[in-house]
Amino acid sequence: MNKQTATLVALAGIHPTKVLQVFRALSTASDYRFEIPRVDLIGTEPAWQMFRDKLAGPKGEFCRLARQIGVQPPELHFHLLFDSSLQQPLYDLRHTPDNQAAWRQVLELMRQLFNDCSLIVGSVAGARKSLALTLMLAFQLLARPQDRLVDLVVDSRRPANGTKIPSPDSPRFHLAEIPLLRVRSLAARSDGLALPNLIAAVQPHLDAPTSVLLEFQLNPRGDVAAVRINGRTLWPNHDKLRVRRRDLAMWFYLASLRKRHRESTCAPLAPSKTEKQLRGNGLVPNSGNTDNATPCPCCFREAADLAHLVPDSDRELPYEYVRQAMSRIKRALIQFGLPLDHLEQVRFRGAGKRPNTMYGLFLPPEQIAIHKA
């Protein structure tokens, strides 16, 4: 695709009219007047059938409208949404898994289009509200200053024609631009309550690194009596979270080693596989660690060094028990509702290459608190 290409990204429903109206307005309205050589439509299986039967091809509605208003017919692309299995076309968005699957696909598509196109005009008209929200969120995360998001608005001052949808030639509509909080290019001015000024108030929170506080409360014997994360009690709890005391003891032992971490003499820690994936999706900031970094020798331990925390029945294979304990802690944190970027920091996990895997915490020492009775 030509990097200078401009495209209209429109959500398609079961009726073609609104998509055509948006294209007509962008090509003819004096307040927009964009040249749109390409149109990318996003929709479910019924929308795909509508596109194939009514919009596509030299005899389709897009070519007819382009000839009517005197512009070059655009290059058409349809992006069919699939269900959570990515095997079956999505027929409708009626359940949470459907919305999640649609969001992931819309985000990946928009990431590619923002990389390939010089200008994108998005239209939220003509589809379900839940799908419109996915496109709006993608624009807020990825849009540049030149990109626009619009909606199609019917002119209420003109008499309505029953319940019939206006034709593409009807004058009863106009485009309204939707304000965006552009995370990629935030700006600020100090002129009252204008939108940029509100953005300036949000800016420090967006720029601040994600932080989490892991707290261990000990009883007089030195055993773990409670675990809190950002002030919320993980254990003991009333939410039926199953956490083994031996797992807590192992977690606390590694956290106490990390708390005494000597930053000046230790190598950086490599990010986990999940953390690398989150960073690749732009959901977790890169902390500067490299994949080739070695585990910190002062606060990471091999499975054999944790044998005193492993039950007698499992000490011949401590590696397996440590891996299982690590998985149980992770599962409890997920059930606890911890965000993924926080989860990757507070849980203990493996680092280094097999068979020399070592275990410890990635969390900075100053974000670990140990309270003794």
Side-chain angles (χ1 to χ4, degrees), residues 164-210:
K164 183 179 179 181
I165 299 177
S167 72
D169 305 325
S170 171
R172 290 189 53 240
F173 65 89
H174 65 274
L175 293 182
E177 187 170 340
I178 299 175
L180 289 174
L181 179 67
R182 290 174 170 84
V183 175
R184 289 180 56 175
S185 55
L186 291 174
R189 295 202 313 266
S190 56
D191 51 352
L193 294 179
L195 180 60
N197 195 44
L198 298 178
I199 293 175
V202 177
Q203 178 81 60
H205 300 283
L206 295 175
D207 289 343
T210 302

Side-chain angles (χ1 to χ4, degrees), residues 215 217 224-228 232-243 245 248 336:
E215 298 178 87
Q217 179 68 51
V224 177
V227 180
R228 289 184 292 271
R232 293 174 56 205
T233 300
L234 171 73
W235 187 88
N237 63 81
H238 302 286
D239 299 323
K240 298 182 180 179
L241 293 181
R242 300 182 62 182
V243 183
R245 290 181 180 272
L248 290 175
F336 187 59

Side-chain angles (χ1 to χ4, degrees), residues 41 45-57 60 78:
L41 300 179
E45 186 176 15
W48 158 247
Q49 295 173 357
M50 178 276 296
F51 170 79
R52 182 186 57 194
D53 297 340
K54 298 182 179 180
L55 294 182
F78 192 95

Side-chain angles (χ1 to χ4, degrees), residues 86-99:
L86 300 181
Q87 300 297 321
Q88 298 295 327
L90 191 58
Y91 188 82
D92 199 358
L93 280 74
R94 292 185 178 273
H95 306 285
T96 299
D98 298 336
N99 289 325

Side-chain angles (χ1 to χ4, degrees), residues 335-353:
Q335 295 173 352
F336 187 59
L338 203 64
L340 287 179
D341 54 337
H342 287 180
L343 186 151
E344 284 301 300
Q345 293 182 69
V346 303
R347 75 182 183 97
F348 71 89
R349 57 178 174 82
K353 296 183 179 180

